[in-house]
Amino acid sequence: MSRKTVRKGALSGWSLYLAPTVILLLIPIFSYLNQHGPGSLLISVLMALMFCTLAIIWSVSIAYRILSATIRHCLEAVGVLVTVMISVRIIKYEFIDPTAAGIDRLLWYSYYVFMLGIPLCGLRAALHVSGKDGRKGKYLRTFGLVAGVTILLIGLIMTNDLHQLAFRFKDTPINNNNYSHGGVYFLAVVMIGGCNVAAVLLMLHSMKNQIHRWQQHLPMLPLIGLLVYSLLYLTLGWAFSKYFYLTDAYGTFTILFWESCIRVGLVRTNTEYEAVFSHSSVPAVITDGDGSVVYESAVRIPLTQDMMENRGPVQRVDENVTLCRRKVKGGRVLWIEDRSRISRLKDLLEEQKERLKEEQELLQEEIRTREELAQIRAQNTIYDNTIRRVTPQIMQIRNLLSEENDEETFLKNLSWACALNTYVKRRVNLGLLSMQEKTMSLEQLALAMNESRRYLELCGITTSYFLPAEESIDSKTMMALLDALELVLEKGYPSLDSLLLSMERKDEAVFIRIMAEDADGDDLRVGSQFAARYEDIRDIDAVLKDVGGRISGHAEDDIIYLTIMIPVFSEKERQSD
């Protein structure tokens, strides 16, 4: 398709805008003939038919051109209302006897059905063009209120003979020529003007955001024409309107305004497909029934004779290129589907997929290595802390077993070394267990106390304890508690006679009460060596400080009273949190 053909198709649409302009230029001639020439009725009817024909052609073109159903229906309604309004005008003034007051008055009232309906339909179309009708229904609710008021005003005007709120007649029986305006009439005028102004403002605002500056003047021309007509009508009155009737002017300028909005592209249409097709980047052609190319896109297709003679829906040109055909009215459309780029992208995607798979495997292996390394470091930390914690006890065991004493002392030292060894063993076991479990049952502490008690009895130390085995505490807290109890035993040895231990849970803390009794039975208030060993409990307090605990104590008679407080949560409470 050549550029000349495209221009011709685009220009043909302007006839719908130029036609009313030509009619406006013919109005003075027709008006003069209507007033002074012979056959004024014929001239008046021809003028009405001219305007009605314009409105009908425009309405039909709207049905074919406008894409949006809402705008299409509203503008079709505008065209129909303009047509009927002009028809009512010519019937009223040319075919109805003025003495038939009832029919004449009914036609007069019906003017306001059209005068109110046209701006209402225009307002609804303007709301859709501007996009205001999609904002949570706010503008649609306002439009519904306006429509309701408009319908009420139409009803009041059409039933004016019952109440005379729009037109007040001074004669009885009613004389159509002797009346004054009532409140409903002024409300109708305000409604007509308000809807028109609102619609124009909405369109001008949309035009500002969507249309080039050099095109914005076109919709302004009908508005200027309507404004000039209104000023002349208000100034000259009937002397002017008999040459260009108000209904004809209102309908013509309304059509011109909306056609201007369509021409500049503010209202979307589905015309000028030829220009769209010729500028398309899709390689395609449209042929007639004989196979001759009628339209061709911007990207040419190298058609061969074989391609033109083939009638199949799909013809493979090569591995990636396919020629497709479809029947259309009057011919066929042919287009090329080139999958070469898709194939390249597919190959690239597969390559990237394999690459990502390898990177994912490397990443997973790196994560696994890091996890193992972190676990080893954590184990080494626990091992180091455990060894550092039990080193003093190991040194004591070595010293006790290396001393040369008599048999009784050696047996006592051996028993104490076994008790220390029990602590070392249990402490190491708890350290290993803490790497797997975050909490431990107090049964672990009870087992340690139970095993140590046999060796402590050989050292002459009687032990007794009460531990709620169902209670669970943090692994770290469990090890700190075992370290604290070991320090209590070491401070009392060798003069320690008995050790009583009990535990009590209160709210979110565990209280461990310890009673240590001196074997010599000395009065601790006079400052025995046994009591002196428990005066400094900072080492025990340092062990408990890591888990938020503390120790306090006092001496009474030959008994040392110690209280350990450790904040703790049970496993059940942790799960509920």
Side-chain angles (χ1 to χ4, degrees):
M1 181 179 61
S2 65
R3 292 183 179 271
K4 183 177 179 181
T5 306
V6 174
R7 287 185 178 181
K8 183 179 179 181
L11 193 62
S12 62
W14 286 94
S15 59
L16 289 169
Y17 188 79
L18 296 175
T21 305
V22 174
I23 291 174
L24 290 176
L25 296 175
L26 293 175
I27 285 174
I29 300 174
F30 277 99
S31 298
Y32 180 83
L33 294 175
N34 188 32
Q35 298 297 323
H36 304 287
S40 60
L41 174 60
L42 177 61
I43 299 299
S44 181
V45 171
L46 286 176
M47 287 182 63
L49 288 176
M50 182 172 59
F51 284 111
C52 288
T53 302
L54 169 66
I56 292 172
I57 293 175
W58 185 74
S59 300
V60 172
S61 73
I62 290 298
Y64 285 98
R65 290 188 294 159
I66 305 303
L67 295 173
S68 170
T70 301
I71 300 176
R72 183 171 65 251
H73 296 158
C74 290
L75 297 186
E76 286 175 346
V78 169
V80 171
L81 290 173
V82 169
T83 303
V84 179
M85 180 176 63
I86 296 174
S87 301
V88 170
R89 191 266 302 168
I90 192 64
I91 291 172
K92 178 182 183 300
Y93 286 102
E94 302 296 344
F95 296 100
I96 298 299
D97 188 352
T99 59
I103 299 176
D104 184 67
R105 195 164 53 254
L106 183 62
L107 294 175
W108 170 27
Y109 292 163
S110 65
Y111 277 170
Y112 293 91
V113 176
F114 313 117
M115 297 293 287
L116 286 165
I118 290 172
L120 185 66
C121 294
L123 177 60
R124 182 65 184 90
L127 283 172
H128 191 81
V129 171
S130 62
K132 300 292 187 182
D133 57 351
R135 297 185 180 178
K136 300 181 180 179
K138 172 185 174 182
Y139 290 92
L140 282 181
R141 287 193 295 269
T142 304
F143 174 79
L145 178 62
V146 173
V149 174
T150 301
I151 294 172
L152 178 61
L153 290 174
I154 291 174
L156 290 174
I157 292 175
M158 295 301 296
T159 59
N160 183 71
D161 288 354
L162 301 177
H163 46 73
Q164 297 192 18
L165 294 176
F167 305 99
R168 299 170 182 170
F169 299 97
K170 300 178 181 179
D171 298 333
T172 304
I174 295 175
N175 182 2
N176 292 355
N177 298 320
N178 190 11
Y179 67 92
S180 62
H181 296 115
V184 172
Y185 169 81
F186 294 107
L187 287 175
V189 172
V190 171
M191 184 62 68
I192 293 171
C195 289
N196 278 317
V197 171
V200 169
L201 290 177
L202 286 171
M203 295 301 292
L204 291 180
H205 178 72
S206 301
M207 195 182 309
K208 180 180 178 182
N209 298 330
Q210 301 181 33
I211 306 302
H212 294 295
R213 185 177 298 275
W214 65 272
Q215 293 179 314
Q216 294 179 8
H217 71 278
L218 188 61
M220 299 298 294
L221 297 178
L223 298 178
I224 295 173
L226 183 60
L227 179 61
V228 172
Y229 177 86
S230 301
L231 294 175
L232 293 174
Y233 180 81
L234 294 174
T235 304
L236 303 177
W238 175 253
F240 171 73
S241 63
K242 66 182 179 180
Y243 294 102
F244 190 12
Y245 291 103
L246 175 64
T247 54
D248 301 350
Y250 182 54
T252 301
F253 285 117
T254 299
I255 290 175
L256 280 173
F257 173 75
W258 283 107
E259 184 62 28
S260 300
C261 295
I262 295 172
R263 286 294 94 200
V264 298
L266 190 60
V267 179
R268 303 301 181 187
T269 62
N270 58 356
T271 57
E272 301 182 12
Y273 283 133
E274 299 93 340
V276 174
F277 188 82
S278 65
H279 290 86
S280 173
S281 61
V282 177
V285 297
I286 297 177
T287 65
D288 57 16
D290 298 330
S292 300
V293 177
V294 180
Y295 298 117
E296 189 173 21
S297 65
V299 182
R300 300 179 60 88
I301 299 179
L303 295 175
T304 62
Q305 188 66 26
D306 179 61
M307 293 179 181
M308 298 300 296
E309 293 176 356
N310 194 314
R311 297 291 177 177
V314 177
Q315 180 181 1
R316 185 174 293 277
V317 179
D318 56 35
E319 184 180 357
N320 295 317
V321 178
T322 303
L323 178 65
C324 302
R325 302 178 184 83
R326 292 292 184 275
K327 289 183 178 181
V328 295
K329 187 176 181 180
R332 290 184 300 166
V333 57
L334 296 82
W335 73 95
I336 291 290
E337 290 186 358
D338 189 353
R339 295 185 175 85
S340 57
R341 187 181 176 204
I342 297 177
S343 299
R344 289 195 302 270
L345 291 175
K346 187 176 179 180
D347 295 339
L348 181 61
L349 184 62
E350 290 294 331
E351 182 180 347
Q352 293 292 337
K353 185 177 179 181
E354 291 296 327
R355 178 180 170 187
L356 289 175
K357 185 177 180 181
E358 294 176 359
E359 291 181 355
Q360 184 180 11
E361 292 176 354
L362 291 174
L363 183 60
Q364 290 178 348
E365 184 65 28
E366 183 180 356
I367 293 174
R368 185 163 53 251
T369 303
R370 288 183 178 181
E371 289 177 350
E372 293 177 356
L373 183 59
Q375 185 177 6
I376 292 172
R377 287 176 178 174
Q379 292 175 352
N380 290 339
T381 301
I382 294 174
Y383 294 153
D384 293 342
N385 292 337
T386 302
I387 295 300
R388 187 168 54 253
R389 181 63 242 173
V390 300
T391 296
Q393 285 74 26
I394 294 175
M395 296 302 298
Q396 288 188 53
I397 294 172
R398 180 180 298 175
N399 293 334
L400 289 172
L401 296 180
S402 63
E403 292 179 359
E404 295 183 1
N405 297 309
D406 54 30
E407 184 178 354
E408 182 179 354
T409 304
F410 175 78
L411 291 176
K412 187 175 182 179
N413 289 344
L414 181 61
S415 300
W416 179 243
C418 291
L420 292 174
N421 186 62
T422 301
Y423 161 74
V424 172
K425 183 183 70 172
R426 287 294 175 180
R427 185 62 172 78
V428 172
N429 289 341
L430 291 180
L432 296 175
L433 190 61
S434 67
M435 291 188 296
Q436 301 175 356
E437 300 182 8
K438 298 297 182 182
T439 60
M440 297 182 188
S441 171
L442 284 177
E443 184 179 2
Q444 295 292 336
L445 184 60
L447 292 174
M449 294 293 295
N450 225 7
E451 188 175 353
S452 300
R453 184 165 56 180
R454 298 196 299 268
Y455 300 108
L456 293 175
E457 288 178 353
L458 295 175
C459 296
I461 302 173
T462 303
T463 59
S464 179
Y465 61 89
F466 171 73
L467 298 172
E470 68 278 0
E471 190 73 44
S472 295
I473 59 176
D474 288 344
S475 301
K476 188 176 180 180
T477 302
M478 175 71 78
M479 291 185 290
L481 185 55
L482 182 62
D483 294 340
L485 294 177
E486 175 62 24
L487 290 175
V488 170
L489 284 171
E490 292 181 13
K491 282 182 178 294
Y493 185 82
S495 58
L496 181 63
D497 179 64
S498 62
L499 186 71
L500 177 62
L501 184 147
S502 64
M503 177 179 288
E504 181 182 10
R505 173 73 178 272
K506 287 185 179 180
D507 297 330
E508 296 180 356
V510 169
F511 293 88
I512 301 171
R513 295 179 174 83
I514 303 171
M515 291 187 298
E517 187 176 1
D518 186 13
D520 299 333
D522 294 336
D523 190 349
L524 299 178
R525 287 174 296 180
V526 299
S528 65
Q529 294 181 358
F530 182 72
R533 289 197 295 269
Y534 286 100
E535 287 180 358
D536 186 5
I537 54 176
R538 287 178 296 180
D539 52 348
I540 303 177
D541 198 58
V543 171
L544 298 173
K545 187 177 181 181
D546 291 341
V547 293
R550 64 177 183 270
I551 185 170
S552 59
H554 66 280
E556 185 177 342
D557 295 336
D558 56 348
I559 299 176
I560 299 296
Y561 295 92
L562 301 173
T563 301
I564 296 175
M565 189 283 295
I566 300 178
V568 67
F569 293 95
S570 67
E571 180 66 20
K572 182 178 180 180
E573 290 173 331
R574 288 182 179 277
Q575 292 177 355
S576 64
D577 289 341

